[in-house]
Amino acid sequence: MYDLGDTVEMKKPHACQTNRWQIIRMGADIKIKCENCGHIVMMTRREFEKKMKKVLEKKKEE
Ligand SMILES: [Zn+2]
């Protein structure tokens, strides 16, 4: 399962060749941010679940 703050890998890397995205918002829509260039993509939860490959790192506990 994925959660806010996790780092995920998508099925396709970003145009900048990085495939590490951080989940920065979770609601009906999900926002992910490219860890390399800071580009933000918003998509529906359903779309996200189709496009996400795996969780790379869980959010670090405070
Ligand atoms: Zn990028």
Side-chain angles (χ1 to χ4, degrees), residues 19-41:
N19 203 344
R20 286 176 65 88
W21 302 82
Q22 194 185 15
I23 301 175
I24 57 168
R25 183 198 138 132
M26 266 197 12
D29 292 322
I30 288 187
K31 268 190 194 172
I32 55 173
K33 185 168 127 186
C34 174
E35 280 200 351
N36 181 50
C37 71
H39 181 75
I40 292 170
V41 176

Side-chain angles (χ1 to χ4, degrees), residues 2-3 6 10 14 18 22 31-32 34-37 46 59-60:
Y2 56 88
D3 214 338
D6 289 356
M10 305 301 282
H14 186 225
T18 299
Q22 194 185 15
K31 268 190 194 172
I32 55 173
C34 174
E35 280 200 351
N36 181 50
C37 71
R46 192 180 151 163
K59 179 190 177 181
K60 290 168 189 74

Side-chain angles (χ1 to χ4, degrees), residues 35-60:
E35 280 200 351
N36 181 50
C37 71
H39 181 75
I40 292 170
V41 176
M42 187 165 78
M43 62 187 84
T44 63
R45 202 175 265 253
R46 192 180 151 163
E47 202 180 345
F48 176 78
E49 285 177 9
K50 263 196 281 180
K51 292 184 175 171
M52 200 260 283
K53 195 166 163 192
K54 64 181 177 189
V55 175
L56 296 172
E57 274 171 44
K58 297 303 288 176
K59 179 190 177 181
K60 290 168 189 74

